[in-house]
Amino acid sequence: HGGVEFDWLDEAATKTQKDIKFGKVELRLKKCAAFVKTSDEILEDSWVSMEPLLREAFTDGLAWQLDNVFLNGSGAGQPMGILHAGCLVSVGKETGQAATTLVFENIVKMYARLWRKKSGVWFANHDTFKQLAVMSLSVGTGGIPVYMPAGGASGKPYDTLMGLPIIWTEHCQTLGTKGDIYLTDWSQYLVGQKSGAGAGLKFDTSMHLYFLYDQTAFRFVYRIDGQPWWPSALTPRYSSDTLSPFISLDTRS
């Protein structure tokens, strides 16, 4: 808590001064841009208005790019994704665990390392479902399924794990690779962007750039930065296992 401490005092006892330690997190806006040109004939002859169509397409494309960079961004010229964050806790694979697998012990250990469990959300590659669906808990010489719905295969597959929602996304790494499944608390991720005038996705057009070719240019620019609030994982007072708002699983190869 940055040096914030409380003391237990007797009546009228003197309080001890505490010095709070502050840190700095710098968010410097990074530029994300897209550019496209189209013929004037398409603009004139299309039965749908091209400008709103392009706006919608590039807005969706920007959302896709931001989803990717918040998970995988290097922090160099783009936001820092949790995969490369200093606070990421990556849980080791089980002894003898086969490549490209997920086992129940992985999930339990990831959940145990999450700092605030009530606000956790899983992010997972679609590839991981085929492993989650067959996960089991070893009991003696046998085992019991731990992810199969109550109605068996006839029931709708769960979209939760340990009571927390799962978001399936292509932006997670492929099965068996670090980053194929995350347990996250995004309240601990900072995002910086412009407010007021000049905020949001900027959209500009120009008929002059390709005037000789009867083409119109469309430009889209967005400035944003992001990174986890935490510089490193937290070592609890009475435990040696670190905790973090961002948990992954080591590569299984």
Side-chain angles (χ1 to χ4, degrees):
H1 300 287
V4 176
E5 296 182 33
F6 284 83
D7 295 323
W8 296 99
L9 304 175
D10 292 330
E11 183 179 356
T14 301
K15 303 173 188 66
T16 303
Q17 177 182 326
K18 308 293 183 182
D19 294 324
I20 300 177
K21 298 177 182 179
F22 291 97
K24 292 183 179 180
V25 176
E26 181 182 52
L27 295 176
R28 181 174 295 179
L29 297 182
K30 312 297 194 301
K31 183 188 292 186
C32 181
F35 179 83
V36 66
K37 65 183 189 301
T38 185
S39 70
D40 292 347
E41 286 83 0
I42 289 180
L43 295 177
E44 294 170 1
D45 298 344
S46 174
W47 67 277
V48 296
S49 178
M50 290 298 294
E51 184 172 314
L53 184 65
L54 287 171
R55 283 179 179 268
E56 182 178 357
F58 277 88
T59 298
D60 290 345
L62 176 63
W64 188 96
Q65 185 59 245
L66 292 179
D67 287 346
N68 179 62
V69 80
F70 289 155
L71 288 175
N72 302 307
S74 66
Q78 58 184 229
M80 170 70 75
I82 63 174
L83 179 61
H84 302 289
C87 67
L88 179 69
V89 167
S90 191
V91 174
K93 66 177 184 179
E94 294 299 294
T95 301
Q97 182 174 347
T100 63
T101 60
L102 272 174
V103 296
F104 186 50
E105 289 80 3
N106 297 150
I107 302 302
V108 171
K109 291 180 179 179
M110 290 180 69
Y111 183 82
R113 303 289 290 277
L114 184 66
W115 178 55
R116 286 181 176 170
K117 295 174 173 54
K118 290 184 179 180
S119 53
V121 178
W122 299 90
F123 280 72
N125 190 300
H126 299 272
D127 292 347
T128 63
F129 176 79
K130 55 194 175 187
Q131 286 291 307
L132 293 175
V134 298
M135 278 196 316
S136 63
L137 172 64
S138 297
V139 180
T141 57
I144 56 173
V146 294
Y147 192 72
M148 187 68 68
S154 64
K156 181 181 182 298
Y158 293 127
D159 286 321
T160 61
L161 191 58
M162 294 295 209
L164 302 175
I166 302 175
I167 296 178
W168 307 101
T169 172
E170 63 183 300
H171 300 298
C172 285
Q173 303 299 310
T174 190
L175 177 63
T177 305
K178 180 179 176 180
D180 59 348
I181 185 169
Y182 293 105
L183 184 51
T184 65
D185 176 1
W186 288 97
S187 70
Q188 302 304 300
Y189 190 93
L190 298 176
V191 174
Q193 53 191 329
K194 296 282 287 185
S195 61
L201 179 62
K202 294 176 63 177
F203 173 71
D204 299 292
T205 65
S206 174
M207 61 173 289
H208 306 292
L209 187 60
Y210 297 102
F211 181 76
L212 292 177
Y213 306 98
D214 294 329
Q215 294 176 329
T216 298
F218 297 85
R219 181 182 67 185
F220 301 82
V221 178
Y222 190 65
R223 298 177 67 210
I224 191 171
D225 196 15
Q227 68 179 75
W229 183 291
W230 295 33
S232 60
L234 169 71
T235 301
R237 183 169 187 177
Y238 300 115
S239 174
S240 59
D241 283 343
T242 55
L243 302 176
S244 173
F246 302 106
I247 314 296
S248 68
L249 187 61
D250 282 350
T251 296
R252 283 127 286 144
S253 58

